[in-house]
Amino acid sequence: MLLVLGIAGGWVLARSSTLSGRVLDADSSLVTAVRLESALTDQETGIRGYGLTGQPDFLDPYRSGVTDERAYTTRLRTTMSDRPDVLRDLDALQRQAQAWQQRIALPVAATPPGAPVALATQRADEGKRDFDRIRAATTRLQQTLQTTRDHSRAQLRTAYTERNAIFSAIAAVILVLTAGVVTGLRRGVSRPLEQVSSDVRLVADGMFDHPVTPTGPADMRQLAGDVESMRRRLVHELAFSDAARLQLDEQATELRRSNAELEQFAYVASHDLQEPLRKVASFCQLLQRRYADQLDDRAGQYIGFAVDGANRMQTLINDLLAFSRVGRLHTELASVDLEKLYARTADVLSVAVEESGAELTHDPLPTITGDATQLGMLLQNLLSNALKFRSPDRPPRIHLSARADDDGLWHFAVADNGIGISPEFAEQVFVIFQRLHTREAYPGNGIGLALCKKIVEFHGGTIAVDPAHSPGTRIAFTLPGPAPAAVAAAAQENQR
């Protein structure tokens, strides 16, 4: 509809422009016709004055009139080329003018000046009749031009009326279409969108069982269908999550029950199991002292085996208890000064250090957050292992290094010059009860490095054997702590 009205509006504008041009052409042609009449009148006046007086000055209006006549005639033919009636009247006027020129004007103008022209007097009546015909032809031409102008003006007024009517119709149609579009958008888009938005808000507020109803045009229904599919998927995922959470709760309950049983087992292991072992060891030793004179050497050896087994069993139980308590007991994290903790550990191992002639060194150690008891066990196990597995060919040299990266992670390493660990056993040594040597060669239960790994991982770090270190062993581990910038700031604050 807008296209049709637009074409009609363009047509009426073009028609109005054309008719306006015609009116302007008619007005200018009417003026030109008047000027053409004036040029012909100048010719007649000049010829009549020259014929009566013979003075050459009277021929100037004649000559200028002839020039103007040609110009005005050419202009009229160009402007009114599409009006046959005007051209017909113009042709009739030119025939009358040429007849007058041939009979009167040219012969009189060709007569020598100086005296009145007799031919002018002789043909005065004839010239008057001919020029009256010219005037009549000029009048008909002007009337035709006037009629043409009036007709063009009437057409232009009609075109203006049509233009106003079409433009008013365009405006009315635009208003009606705008109202229809707004109403259609309201009914077909806004209301369905509000409905979908309301359903989505209800789902977002927690009413996951509320369906999103598809409504409105196809695109809106497709959108609502996609949202409904997403809601169903969310409901399914939430149901699965709830089921998983219930299962996790059940497992957590079972885990708490299991931990309680483990706690009870630990209590039994630390009391009820160790008490019979102490009795076995005590009575075996009492039997050896009381009946020493009645027993031979083999009996004494057997009693020694029994006492040693009972003692090793007690040690194994204590080590297992310590391993099981990591992460369950002594889990109060606090600020731990590793310098002080290292000094206490070295003091505990002072006898072994002195007997082996070992040299213990370390880098400046930071203060980190952790469990002091467990970190003490970590350092003690690593340093005692370095002392235990020393090389018989050289005195032990043990160094604890420490450095931090930009993320605040501290890298520690205990390096020694002992017997070392083969690369193929680099991971096996951290498995509980895994021993690389016989009990006779090196005492122990094979729990130390497994305990170290559990302590380091409980603090959020990692531990591994450095296979590139030689000679000896280098065990590297990481612990989270403050960044180097924070450590430097704390050091400056302590200096102040």
Side-chain angles (χ1 to χ4, degrees), residues 363-396:
D363 291 344
L365 300 176
T367 297
I368 65 173
T369 301
D371 184 89
T373 302
Q374 294 183 17
L375 292 176
M377 295 171 60
L378 172 66
L379 293 180
Q380 184 172 346
N381 275 280
L382 293 177
L383 294 177
S384 63
N385 276 354
L387 290 171
K388 181 192 304 183
F389 298 101
R390 62 183 178 272
S391 174
D393 301 331
R394 52 185 177 271

Side-chain angles (χ1 to χ4, degrees), residues 425-490:
F425 301 118
E427 295 183 1
Q428 184 178 346
V429 294
F430 294 104
V431 180
I432 192 170
F433 297 135
Q434 292 295 320
R435 297 177 54 87
L436 304 182
H437 307 278
T438 63
R439 195 180 309 276
E440 288 76 13
Y442 295 96
N445 297 317
I447 298 180
L449 288 180
L451 181 63
C452 292
K453 181 179 181 182
K454 192 170 184 181
I455 292 173
V456 169
E457 291 179 348
F458 170 73
H459 284 81
T462 58
I463 187 170
V465 175
D466 183 6
H469 179 77
S470 180
T473 302
R474 183 175 185 270
I475 297 180
F477 61 96
T478 60
L479 292 174
V487 174

